[in-house]
Amino acid sequence: QVQLMESGGGLVQAGGSLRLSCAASGGPFRIYAMGWFRQAPGKEREFVAALPWSVVSTYYTDSVKGRFTISRDRSKNTGYLQMNSLKSEDSAVYYCAVKTRTSGSAVWSIPTSYDHWGQGTQVTVSS
């Protein structure tokens, strides 16, 4: 069973930075893509960023473009979300997810495209 361990969340002032990590373990498995989503209180889970594991392509929701950067270290089965110029509206629980099956959707912005999810890490941006 694939397990995802997120870390790096916390409290930061507006304009600050945080780096989230998501380490995948268990298996055997192969990661085809990793995505980051977030959910604020009273809101639906929303797509933040995604990264196919074997090609150099990245996807971002418009509100984080130019501020967030998704990356991965394939040797460690770990993904990262570097968040700069944070705003209060970025406050949410952030979840990482991975696609490990060849079947299913490859639309990276929808949650159902992913097979495994982390437990979430809280990001709070104070204004």
Side-chain angles (χ1 to χ4, degrees):
Q1 180 69 17
V2 177
Q3 294 183 327
L4 301 180
M5 180 62 67
E6 297 149 346
S7 61
L11 174 64
V12 65
Q13 289 187 331
S17 299
L18 284 173
R19 187 193 196 205
L20 305 183
S21 298
C22 177
S25 62
F29 63 91
R30 176 178 177 180
I31 298 176
Y32 291 95
M34 176 177 284
W36 287 92
F37 292 75
R38 64 187 180 187
Q39 188 166 18
K43 295 186 177 181
E44 293 188 355
R45 188 169 299 190
E46 67 168 345
F47 169 73
V48 177
L51 173 68
W53 214 242
S54 60
V55 297
V56 183
S57 297
T58 56
Y59 305 88
Y60 299 95
T61 192
D62 286 345
S63 63
V64 308
K65 286 180 181 176
R67 300 188 298 122
F68 290 12
T69 303
I70 188 172
S71 62
R72 47 92 168 97
D73 184 335
R74 285 190 285 176
S75 68
K76 297 180 179 179
N77 278 334
T78 299
Y80 306 96
L81 185 67
Q82 177 67 43
M83 305 186 295
N84 298 328
S85 302
L86 283 161
K87 306 175 181 179
S88 57
E89 52 263 44
D90 295 318
S91 296
V93 177
Y94 282 70
Y95 299 89
C96 68
V98 293
K99 178 177 177 65
T100 58
R101 301 175 188 175
T102 57
S103 60
S105 172
V107 179
W108 307 128
S109 61
I110 61 173
T112 53
S113 295
Y114 300 89
D115 305 303
H116 303 280
W117 289 80
Q119 80 287 352
T121 184
Q122 178 71 48
V123 171
T124 303
V125 184
S126 63
S127 56

